[in-house]
């Protein structure tokens, strides 16, 4: 079955520290890959996406993600976290030729001073 | 305009009421979506419209009735809801390509309608 796994329910990092959020997917072929962020009470915002080509993709707000085919992973990174990055982060996939976006369960990021 | 606008932002309704949620986008996106999100959960797909036609209904109860009057507007009509239907309802839109196969290239979400059924 197609699935997206975010193994960390929540992560706490200190402001200024680096961040990595993990995402693994299970698909027959490489799907389109996305990361979204959701602040409390808000809709989701697209951070970045991978379709093909360069496996390191840059997104908004200083985020980047690396696609690793051999590990079926698409981990999100940021070199220095700001307090405003505290939010819920969702990894998501879309099967090529499909409409449906499959979301992971989400990782809640807490940032401490 | 790069936004999806949802109204109202908050809605409280009784189980016998009829209400509608509205969604509007002017980005030229031809795919529009309704999602339901419960607290601390990812969004769950309800409906997909492609070129103003209902493309996907994820076995949603008939008390939820979607409508796409034109390429910019998406409505969700609510009738006889249950308290367990209380949630954040999110509208989204995306570009869509035909021909080689449909797909979406990432959603633009609205900020949602917080619905409480009493």
């Amino acid at each position: 079955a197609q699935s997206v796994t975010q193994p960390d329910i929540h992560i706490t990092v200190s402001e200024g520290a680096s961040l990595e959020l993990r995402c693994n997917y299970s698909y027959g072929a490489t799907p389109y890959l996305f990361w979204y962020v959701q602040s409390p009470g808000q809709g989701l915002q697209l951070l970045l996406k991978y379709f093909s080509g360069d496996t390191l993709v840059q997104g908004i707000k200083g985020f980047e993600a690396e696609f690793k085919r051999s590990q079926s992973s698409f981990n999100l990174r940021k070199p220095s976290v700001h307090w405003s990055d505290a939010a819920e982060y969702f990894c998501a996939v879309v099967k090529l030729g499909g409409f449906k976006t499959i979301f992971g369960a989400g990782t809640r990021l807490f940032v401490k001073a | 305009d790069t936004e999806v606008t949802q109204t109202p932002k908050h809605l409280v309704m009784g189980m016998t009421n009829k209400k509608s949620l509205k969604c509007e986008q002017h980005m030229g996106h031809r795919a529009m979506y309704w999602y339901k999100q419960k607290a601390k959960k990812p969004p769950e797909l309800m409906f997909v419209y492609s070129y103003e036609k209902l493309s996907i209904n994820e076995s949603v109860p008939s008390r939820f009735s979607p409508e796409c009057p034109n390429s910019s507007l998406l409505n969700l009509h609510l009738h006889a809801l249950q308290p367990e239907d209380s949630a954040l309802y999110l509208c989204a839109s995306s570009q869509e390509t035909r021909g080689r196969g449909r797909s979406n290239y990432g959603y633009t979400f609205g900020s949602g309608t917080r619905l409480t059924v009493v």
Side-chain angles (χ1 to χ4, degrees), chain B residues 37-57:
Chain B
Q37 187 180 27
K38 302 284 271 185
K40 301 185 189 302
K41 296 291 186 183
E44 298 173 27
L45 182 64
M46 300 175 72
F47 304 103
V48 179
Y49 273 83
S50 170
Y51 288 82
E52 295 89 70
K53 292 193 184 325
L54 184 63
S55 180
I56 296 176
N57 177 343

Side-chain angles (χ1 to χ4, degrees), chain A residues 14-91:
Chain A
S14 298
E15 191 170 16
S18 64
L19 170 70
E20 182 169 30
L21 302 181
R22 297 182 290 164
C23 174
N24 293 94
Y25 64 91
S26 173
Y27 259 85
T30 301
Y32 293 164
L33 298 159
F34 305 85
W35 276 98
Y36 289 88
V37 61
Q38 186 177 31
S39 297
Q42 297 296 312
L44 284 73
Q45 182 180 24
L46 180 64
L47 282 176
L48 46 76
K49 55 194 174 187
Y50 173 78
F51 297 150
S52 64
D54 192 347
T55 57
L56 185 64
V57 293
Q58 302 297 319
I60 62 171
K61 304 186 179 189
F63 285 92
E64 66 178 26
E66 185 173 14
F67 168 63
K68 292 186 177 180
R69 185 188 307 275
S70 61
Q71 299 176 18
S72 296
S73 69
F74 189 56
N75 294 349
L76 182 71
R77 301 195 294 246
K78 186 170 185 178
S80 178
V81 168
H82 188 262
W83 64 267
S84 60
D85 294 323
E88 187 87 24
Y89 291 80
F90 293 99
C91 180

Side-chain angles (χ1 to χ4, degrees), chain B residues 11-71:
Chain B
L11 179 62
V12 179
M13 60 185 292
M15 290 188 284
T16 58
N17 291 161
K18 286 185 180 181
K19 296 287 185 183
S20 296
L21 309 185
K22 297 185 183 302
C23 174
E24 187 170 6
Q25 58 90 13
H26 296 286
M27 294 175 284
H29 290 172
R30 302 310 295 271
M32 297 186 75
Y33 310 78
W34 281 114
Y35 275 84
K36 174 183 178 179
Q37 187 180 27
K38 302 284 271 185
K40 301 185 189 302
K41 296 291 186 183
E44 298 173 27
L45 182 64
M46 300 175 72
F47 304 103
V48 179
Y49 273 83
S50 170
Y51 288 82
E52 295 89 70
K53 292 193 184 325
L54 184 63
S55 180
I56 296 176
N57 177 343
E58 289 288 280
S59 302
V60 179
S62 59
R63 58 186 183 269
F64 295 91
S65 175
E67 178 195 20
C68 190
N70 59 55
S71 60

